[in-house]
Amino acid sequence: MTSNDQQTVDIFVIGGGINGCGIARDAAGRGLSVELAEMHDLASATSSASTKLFHGGLRYLEYFEVRLVREALIERETLLRAMPHISWPMRFVLPMHREMRFDNETPTSRLLSIVMPWMKGRRPAWLIRLGLLMYDHLGGREVLPGTRSVDLSDDEAGVPLQDKFSRAFEYSDCWVEDSRLVVLNARDAEARGATIRTRTKVVSARRERDLWRVETENLDTAERSTRYARALVNAAGPWVADVIEGVMGQNASAGVRLVRGSHIVTKRLFDHDRCYFFQGTDGRIIFAIPYQEDFTLIGTTDKEHLDADVRPECTDEEALYLCEFASQYFKRPVTMDDVVWRYSGVRPLYDDGATSATAATRDYVLKLDGDRAPVLNVFGGKITTYRKLAEAAMAKLTPFFAQASGAWTAGVSMPGGDFAVADVDMVIASLRADYGFLSAAWAKRLVRAYGIEAREILGTAQSEKDLGLGFGATLTEAEVTWLIEREYAASAEDIVWRRSKLGLRLSTSQIETLESFVAAARQNALPEGDAKN
């Protein structure tokens, strides 16, 4: 089936990850007409498979990527203020020991091997402290507390660690619910006039005079349609080169390097709410982070990934590596029996010619092509700097649009996040006071997902029964309906692994029941061709 819709928009965005949705939101807020197409669910690839941190990237200082780290550090607090429901401060404990080593390919490692050869690749404590001093001051920190020294023999952070770790540094970074961040950007873009189409693949994009002719296919209905756009943004993440060559029929002038980052989720390994930054004898680093109240998240790896169309998986080898790495620190060894879930994502890094996946730059590169009907290809980036990437993208595109207004996103709240960072506990308490049937854990989950919009989901409910069917783990019909109608969810997987992580708590049969409900609800409620199909 084919639909010839001759609608012309200012900007057509390919890709519904964090970069695509961030650019769509920024552009729509400047008064431009925007359409975005994502071939699967929003955040279904890289943007839901991160370590879920807004962080400056402490280890990037060893690569002398000072500008990237500074930009990311400044962004931490900008983003934290805009989304205090899905992002919050965390403290990271970095235990010290003599066998901490550099990745021997870093510029810092090579320099020290010349001036301090007797260190034989070990990271000296003074260098780590210097790095943390820079980390504290590069970004003009205002909200987050600075670095301090920790005596692990007299601190709860030392309890789960082996006795050989007697001291540590503790510094600040931020948590973020990555896939929810993507959805909120898409929702805010739509509220500002953008059209968001999921499960819609761009099959062809060709220049016709001063416009792009974009042909799409709805993967649910097989319906094809045509749009015209004055500018095209290729934010396809791991598929960015495929879009250039296959969809646009052009030669790629820049390359993308696919790096697989894998994580494991284990039973809870410690009782406090701080995170660990572990350094390995192989020069790698991993994090161990409290996760979803009852679990611990450990990651990540850096492995080359050759094909974007091959679904990334955390292999047994990678999972075992993470277990063994963490076991170098914890008193009780972490084993494969502790692992309750694992996931992997492909990071589409700009190919800067680095010899290893670990050394490849995490900075973003924007390539603009064309004086008329321009296309902007987006390479690389990290979740912490997505908003700055979007601003930089628009700085390249706005010269083509005289009507576009200026930058506006800094400090503007995401949907549900219109409250102060320090007030989250008050928001949770208030919600529970007004909806007395909510448990403390349930109220916290709702606020951490939806912020003040949790009240719109709960509505006038006086009891749990008023929220309709229960699917388990506090997931109700009212919430599922919200996710279908307001957040583009179209399957149980969308709901339990991206809009939430309730897949950790629901049984297979409960998820199957949810899948049947979602399919029926979409069939009844969403007309063919709806923007959220």
Side-chain angles (χ1 to χ4, degrees), residues 141-193:
R141 177 179 48 82
E142 296 178 2
V143 175
L144 302 174
T147 299
R148 72 180 186 100
S149 296
V150 177
D151 180 356
L152 293 174
S153 65
D154 190 34
D155 189 284
E156 64 177 353
V159 173
L161 301 181
Q162 296 174 24
D163 293 338
K164 67 179 179 181
F165 302 107
S166 59
R167 64 192 183 102
F169 294 120
E170 182 182 294
Y171 69 96
S172 291
D173 265 322
C174 296
W175 177 264
V176 63
E177 296 289 352
D178 52 3
S179 50
R180 290 212 56 74
L181 174 63
V182 177
V183 170
L184 294 184
N185 270 273
R187 283 189 54 212
D188 202 43
E190 185 178 60
R192 298 173 190 277

Side-chain angles (χ1 to χ4, degrees), residues 474-495:
T474 71
L475 182 66
T476 65
E477 182 179 345
E479 184 176 354
V480 170
T481 300
W482 168 279
L483 293 172
I484 295 170
E485 295 181 351
R486 301 286 294 275
E487 295 199 0
Y488 319 96
S491 71
E493 180 183 345
D494 297 349
I495 292 170

Side-chain angles (χ1 to χ4, degrees), residues 205-353:
R206 295 290 191 272
R207 283 190 176 99
E208 291 188 358
R209 295 178 295 279
D210 294 340
L211 297 174
W212 281 94
R213 186 178 191 272
V214 182
E215 295 186 5
T216 64
E217 179 182 353
N218 183 304
L219 298 184
D220 287 340
T221 64
E223 180 182 3
R224 290 204 170 197
S225 61
T226 300
R227 298 289 194 275
Y228 287 90
R230 298 177 182 89
L232 189 68
V233 172
N234 173 14
W239 295 272
V240 61
D242 295 344
V243 168
I244 295 173
E245 296 172 356
V247 173
M248 294 190 291
Q250 300 179 353
N251 293 322
S253 60
V256 64
R257 186 171 192 164
L258 303 181
V259 176
R260 186 175 69 250
S262 294
H263 300 75
I264 57 175
V265 175
T266 70
K267 303 167 188 174
R268 186 167 180 161
L269 300 177
F270 45 90
D271 293 330
H272 58 80
D273 61 359
R274 283 177 283 176
C275 313
Y276 290 105
F277 179 120
F278 291 153
Q279 304 175 86
T281 56
D282 61 355
R284 292 278 300 123
I285 65 99
I286 63 169
F287 296 104
I289 306 172
Y291 188 62
Q292 298 293 316
E293 305 296 330
D294 300 318
F295 306 95
T296 300
L297 173 65
I298 300 175
T300 180
T301 62
D302 275 317
K303 294 286 187 180
E304 301 285 356
H305 193 80
L306 300 179
D307 188 347
D309 289 327
V310 175
R311 184 181 179 92
E313 294 183 356
C314 177
T315 64
D316 289 344
E317 177 188 5
E318 290 175 292
L320 184 60
Y321 170 82
L322 292 172
C323 287
E324 292 177 345
F325 196 142
S327 296
Q328 296 174 25
Y329 283 82
F330 289 119
K331 286 178 182 174
R332 187 182 73 77
V334 182
T335 71
M336 294 289 279
D337 289 338
D338 293 313
V339 178
V340 298
W341 183 50
R342 45 176 130 166
Y343 68 90
S344 187
V346 174
R347 296 187 288 268
L349 307 181
Y350 180 69
D351 191 355
D352 60 353

Side-chain angles (χ1 to χ4, degrees), residues 9-57:
V9 297
D10 291 322
I11 297 176
F12 193 102
V13 180
I14 303 173
I18 188 56
N19 290 336
C21 290
I23 292 170
R25 176 186 183 237
D26 192 318
R30 294 173 190 251
L32 300 179
S33 57
V34 179
E35 184 162 339
L36 179 148
E38 161 57 44
M39 64 179 175
H40 299 304
D41 181 30
L42 298 177
S44 57
T46 305
S47 297
S48 60
S50 74
T51 311
K52 306 176 196 315
L53 298 176
F54 279 152
H55 67 121

